């Protein structure tokens, strides 16, 4: 009796699930295609020369069609089908939106890591420059006390400049180090 009940539940479950018609791309594949299309569209929108943008767009779209083993006719037919079934299209775009949010978060994380690495490299350069400048000032210093006071003042000024550069870099102003040191 239990087996019969499970079989009936399975039949109802699979029977009630809506299937896409023949010649229409299924929802999961359509979501993946639309995701790639929107990523490509974002890039293409940054190209200002119209002819170049059209050539790049054609190449990207053909690559997407090839990746998903489809063509523009099937894609357009499927897109029209989903336009006529807005609840399905809305579900597809919920998934796309989530994927885009996840990708955006990953890009932010990668950018943050890159900025930290750049800060560390720039900090090391700033410290090396400060040390070299301090050594040069000490070498020029004479043995008298007034020369020592001047040298200490110059070194203190150089240290303040180095600290200022480090703080500026830490706060996010990412000018090239060569421009910042001058």
């Amino acid at each position: 009796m239990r087996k019969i009940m499970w079989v009936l539940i399975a039949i109802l479950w699979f029977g009630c699930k809506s299937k896409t018609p023949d010649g229409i791309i299924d929802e999961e594949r359509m979501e993946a295609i639309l995701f790639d299309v929107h990523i490509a569209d974002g890039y293409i929108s940054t190209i200002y020369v119209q002819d170049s943008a059209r050539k790049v767009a054609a190449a990207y779209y053909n690559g997407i069609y090839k990746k998903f083993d489809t063509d523009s006719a099937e894609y357009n037919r499927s897109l029209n089908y989903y336009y006529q079934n807005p609840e399905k299209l809305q579900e597809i775009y919920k998934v796309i939106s989530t994927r885009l949010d996840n990708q955006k978060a990953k890009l932010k994380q990668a950018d943050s890591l890159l900025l930290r690495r750049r800060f560390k490299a720039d900090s090391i350069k700033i410290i090396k420059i400060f040390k070299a400048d301090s050594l040069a000032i000490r070498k020029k210093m004479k043995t008298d006390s007034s020369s020592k006071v001047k040298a200490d003042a110059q070194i203190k000024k150089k240290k303040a400049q180095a600290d200022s550069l480090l703080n500026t870099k830490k706060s996010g102003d990412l000018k090239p180090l060569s421009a910042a040191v001058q």
Side-chain angles (χ1 to χ4, degrees), residues 77-141:
R77 198 172 41 252
S78 299
L79 196 55
N80 285 333
Y81 167 80
Y82 287 109
Y83 282 147
Q84 293 169 3
N85 295 281
E87 55 285 333
K88 289 183 180 186
L89 190 60
Q90 185 177 14
E91 289 301 315
I92 288 172
Y93 273 104
K94 280 182 184 177
V95 174
I96 290 172
S97 180
T98 301
R99 284 184 66 191
L100 287 171
D101 289 343
N102 290 341
Q103 191 171 34
K104 184 178 178 182
K106 287 177 185 177
L107 287 172
K108 271 187 169 181
Q109 185 179 17
D111 284 347
S112 175
L113 181 62
L114 181 66
L115 291 176
R116 280 185 284 188
R117 285 183 181 165
R118 189 179 299 165
F119 172 75
K120 184 176 180 180
D122 285 352
S123 298
I124 291 169
K125 288 178 186 176
I126 290 169
I127 291 168
K128 284 181 179 179
I129 291 169
F130 166 70
K131 285 182 178 181
D133 288 349
S134 297
L135 285 174
I137 291 169
R138 293 222 185 266
K139 282 184 180 178
K140 291 180 184 176
M141 180 180 75

Side-chain angles (χ1 to χ4, degrees), residues 1-9:
M1 186 67 160
R2 281 187 168 185
K3 285 184 180 181
I4 294 172
M5 190 166 66
W6 282 111
V7 170
L8 287 174
I9 290 172

Side-chain angles (χ1 to χ4, degrees), residues 22-171:
D22 288 339
I24 301 298
I25 300 169
D26 66 85
E27 288 181 42
E28 190 174 308
R29 210 165 114 222
M30 191 66 178
E31 174 264 311
I33 293 169
L34 284 171
F35 179 81
D36 283 2
V37 165
H38 289 304
I39 295 292
D41 285 346
Y43 171 69
I44 292 162
S45 71
T46 65
I47 302 172
Y48 296 108
V49 180
Q50 289 286 325
D51 290 340
S52 296
R54 280 191 210 110
K55 288 178 185 175
V56 170
Y60 271 104
Y61 297 145
N62 287 332
I64 292 168
Y65 299 148
K66 185 175 181 181
K67 176 181 176 182
F68 292 101
D69 192 33
T70 189
D71 56 31
S72 62
E74 184 180 37
Y75 169 75
N76 287 321
R77 198 172 41 252
S78 299
L79 196 55
N80 285 333
Y81 167 80
Y82 287 109
Y83 282 147
Q84 293 169 3
N85 295 281
E87 55 285 333
K88 289 183 180 186
L89 190 60
Q90 185 177 14
E91 289 301 315
I92 288 172
Y93 273 104
K94 280 182 184 177
V95 174
I96 290 172
S97 180
T98 301
R99 284 184 66 191
L100 287 171
D101 289 343
N102 290 341
Q103 191 171 34
K104 184 178 178 182
K106 287 177 185 177
L107 287 172
K108 271 187 169 181
Q109 185 179 17
D111 284 347
S112 175
L113 181 62
L114 181 66
L115 291 176
R116 280 185 284 188
R117 285 183 181 165
R118 189 179 299 165
F119 172 75
K120 184 176 180 180
D122 285 352
S123 298
I124 291 169
K125 288 178 186 176
I126 290 169
I127 291 168
K128 284 181 179 179
I129 291 169
F130 166 70
K131 285 182 178 181
D133 288 349
S134 297
L135 285 174
I137 291 169
R138 293 222 185 266
K139 282 184 180 178
K140 291 180 184 176
M141 180 180 75
K142 297 180 182 164
T143 55
D144 61 25
S145 60
S146 68
S147 181
K148 184 178 181 336
V149 170
K150 286 180 184 177
D152 286 343
Q154 286 178 329
I155 290 171
K156 189 175 180 180
K157 184 178 175 183
K158 290 287 184 180
K159 181 169 179 7
Q161 287 174 337
D163 288 344
S164 175
L165 281 172
L166 288 172
N167 288 334
T168 301
K169 289 282 181 191
K170 200 174 211 174
S171 68

